């Protein structure tokens, strides 16, 4: 592939684009074109549409990178998007058609996320969900400095519960037709490592990096390892 790829980073639930700061700094220092695009966290369908538009705005080939729920979004956004050349899943869901993020979370034992989530009624029968701000550091970012985890708790973006229960729309998941890479921590309390490993193996991951004891916020606590995997993916696609 002669044209350089741009890395497009998509954050997940209970996070926002600044969660990619360390990864972006590493990539930019290496001369890699990389941006983080907002994820509205309303539904897989609408969030994927927004990411698809962000991909189109780049005007060239793209490597999509998703964290957590952002993995479901990039899986959908890449379908029919010729500019997307590969997918990197960072402690992220890689759903099959009809699967939900909530269902995949509970498919293997170990997640304690449900105990920490608090609903905010939206008045239409659905709720916004946040992670209890006091519990967030331990649940979401156990290996991140406490002061930084507390800031992340305060700046987290709520996700609409429908987004976590919406069946993955596309009949053929993008990871079936595109190369993929996975990185996650064995200390993830949101998505059990066993579940992440299952999704990586099912997707035929070209390289899977398991970081011992790393939390769900693995891109914050281990930005260099995440960036290394992304750079390796770019080299493969070059």
């Amino acid at each position: 592939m002669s044209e350089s790829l741009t890395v497009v980073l998509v954050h997940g639930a209970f996070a926002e684009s600044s969660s990619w700061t360390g990864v972006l700094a590493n990539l930019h220092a290496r001369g890699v074109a990389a941006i983080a695009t907002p994820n509205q966290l309303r539904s897989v369908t609408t969030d994927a549409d927004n990411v698809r538009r962000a991909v189109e705005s780049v005007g060239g080939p793209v490597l999509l990178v998703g964290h957590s729920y952002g993995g479901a979004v990039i899986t959908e956004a890449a379908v029919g998007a010729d500019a997307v050349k590969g997918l990197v899943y960072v402690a992220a869901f890689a759903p099959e058609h009809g699967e939900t993020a909530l269902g995949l979370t509970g498919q293997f034992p170990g997640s304690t996320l449900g105990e920490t989530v608090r609903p905010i009624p939206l008045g239409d029968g659905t709720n916004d969900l946040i992670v209890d701000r006091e519990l967030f550091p331990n649940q979401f970012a156990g290996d991140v400095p406490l002061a930084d985890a507390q800031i992340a708790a305060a700046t987290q973006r709520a996700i609409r519960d429908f987004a976590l229960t919406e069946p993955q729309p596309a009949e053929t998941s993008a990871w079936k037709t595109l190369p993929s890479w996975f990185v996650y921590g064995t200390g993830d309390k949101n998505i059990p490592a066993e579940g992440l490993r299952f999704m990586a193996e099912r997707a035929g991951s070209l390289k899977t990096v398991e970081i011992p004891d790393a939390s769900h916020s693995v891109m914050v606590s281990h930005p260099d390892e995440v960036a290394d995997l992304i750079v390796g993916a770019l080299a493969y696609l070059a």
Side-chain angles (χ1 to χ4, degrees), residues 101-154:
L102 186 62
L104 285 167
T105 299
Q107 188 167 333
F108 296 90
S111 175
T112 54
L113 178 63
E115 304 163 21
T116 68
V117 169
R118 305 292 179 256
I120 303 170
L122 293 175
D124 63 355
T126 67
N127 300 283
D128 262 349
L129 304 176
I130 64 167
V131 175
D132 186 295
R133 293 183 178 89
E134 295 295 322
L135 302 177
F136 185 101
N138 179 62
Q139 175 63 39
F140 207 85
D143 58 348
V144 174
L146 180 59
D148 294 338
Q150 289 172 331
I151 292 295

Side-chain angles (χ1 to χ4, degrees), residues 12 119 123 125 130 148 158 173-175 177 209-210 221-222:
I130 64 167
D148 294 338
S173 296
W175 46 260
T177 59
V209 177
E210 284 193 8
S221 59
H222 293 83

Side-chain angles (χ1 to χ4, degrees), residues 18-20 22-23 141 143-145 148 216-223 226:
S18 68
S19 60
W20 294 113
V23 174
D143 58 348
V144 174
D148 294 338
H216 192 60
S217 296
V218 63
M219 70 290 188
V220 178
S221 59
H222 293 83
V226 173

